[in-house]
Amino acid sequence: MNKANQRELDKALAWLDLNDDDATEIACRTLATIQRCGTAADTKAILAIIKDRGLSHCFYTENHCLVAY
């Protein structure tokens, strides 16, 4: 993962640690952005986080919104 994506990933994880619905949406949007513009290895790491934290619905909703825009 490049430095910029790693920095964004660290921010997303910090948002997730807040355990707040709005913060979770921001984190999922950030994770979806990294997944869409990153490498295959980045995608694998993002999907592991999504699975581990049980964020599938939120993540895929945000990912869909990115595609729609």
Side-chain angles (χ1 to χ4, degrees):
M1 188 171 293
N2 67 35
K3 289 180 183 180
N5 283 352
Q6 184 62 53
R7 186 172 47 250
E8 292 302 312
L9 176 59
D10 292 341
K11 288 179 191 177
L13 293 174
W15 280 113
L16 289 173
D17 288 340
L18 294 176
N19 291 322
D20 174 73
D21 289 342
D22 291 334
T24 299
E25 286 183 27
I26 293 168
C28 285
R29 189 174 307 122
T30 302
L31 293 171
T33 301
I34 296 169
Q35 186 265 327
R36 294 194 60 74
C37 67
T39 65
D42 295 346
T43 296
K44 187 174 180 180
I46 297 301
L47 294 177
I49 292 167
I50 296 303
K51 182 179 179 183
D52 182 54
R53 300 223 183 190
L55 299 170
S56 294
H57 178 74
C58 180
F59 174 75
Y60 289 109
T61 299
E62 291 300 330
N63 204 342
H64 176 74
C65 289
L66 287 174
V67 172
Y69 291 113

